[in-house]
Amino acid sequence: MRKIISLIFVFLIGCTFFITTTYAKWAYDFVVYKDNSYVVTETHIEANKIGRKIGEVTKYSDLEGTYRGNFSNKFPKGTEYYEIKGIAINEAIAIEESKDSFIKAKYNGKYATNGEYDPTNFLLVYFIGVVLLFGIMYLFYKKRNR
């Protein structure tokens, strides 16, 4: 019986290694606007050079991953994006750091938006683990009762 319990315990610990997610920090601060990535600089923009509001952060995370929408790994949800007068949006945008304080973000290319966290993947792994666990328990029980 101790062997069975030990095997089940080892099996359950082993399953958790397969389903845990590894997170890492981003290499640099950025924002995403309309599937375009902009690297946040330390260049402050004067308020008189700020154009119209073009969007805002819809999702924030400081953990690496791929997210949809106007995403940022630095600014909280609701932080507003603005155009900079005289500069095309595909070159740079302004981000409101605080009231009347804006910082420049330079265009860095397209942002890969191939999906967000999908809980069904983890549920499937847990389901398979539970089925295997019951299968192993059944085999040990059948072997013991012979």
Side-chain angles (χ1 to χ4, degrees), residues 7-114:
L7 285 172
I8 291 171
F9 185 68
V10 168
F11 176 76
L12 289 175
I13 290 174
C15 285
T16 61
F17 289 124
F18 291 114
I19 56 176
T20 58
T21 304
T22 303
Y23 293 105
K25 293 284 185 184
W26 296 98
Y28 52 86
D29 295 332
F30 68 91
V31 297
V32 174
Y33 169 66
K34 290 191 174 180
D35 296 330
N36 294 316
S37 177
Y38 295 83
V39 176
V40 177
T41 68
E42 294 184 17
T43 306
H44 288 274
I45 307 293
E46 296 174 17
N48 63 349
K49 292 186 179 183
I50 300 300
R52 66 182 172 83
K53 176 184 170 185
I54 57 173
E56 66 181 41
V57 176
T58 58
K59 182 157 182 79
Y60 163 82
S61 179
D62 62 351
L63 301 175
E64 268 193 38
T66 304
Y67 304 94
R68 292 187 182 135
N70 292 343
F71 167 73
S72 179
N73 67 347
K74 177 177 174 97
F75 299 100
K77 184 177 179 179
T79 301
E80 297 177 342
Y81 303 154
Y82 292 86
E83 65 181 1
I84 303 170
K85 292 178 183 175
I87 299 177
I89 291 175
N90 62 355
E91 291 180 36
I93 61 174
I95 300 151
E96 186 175 37
E97 278 191 306
S98 61
K99 188 166 176 66
D100 296 325
S101 177
F102 301 90
I103 194 163
K104 185 177 189 179
K106 290 184 173 183
Y107 179 73
N108 191 43
K110 286 288 186 188
Y111 180 72
T113 56
N114 61 358

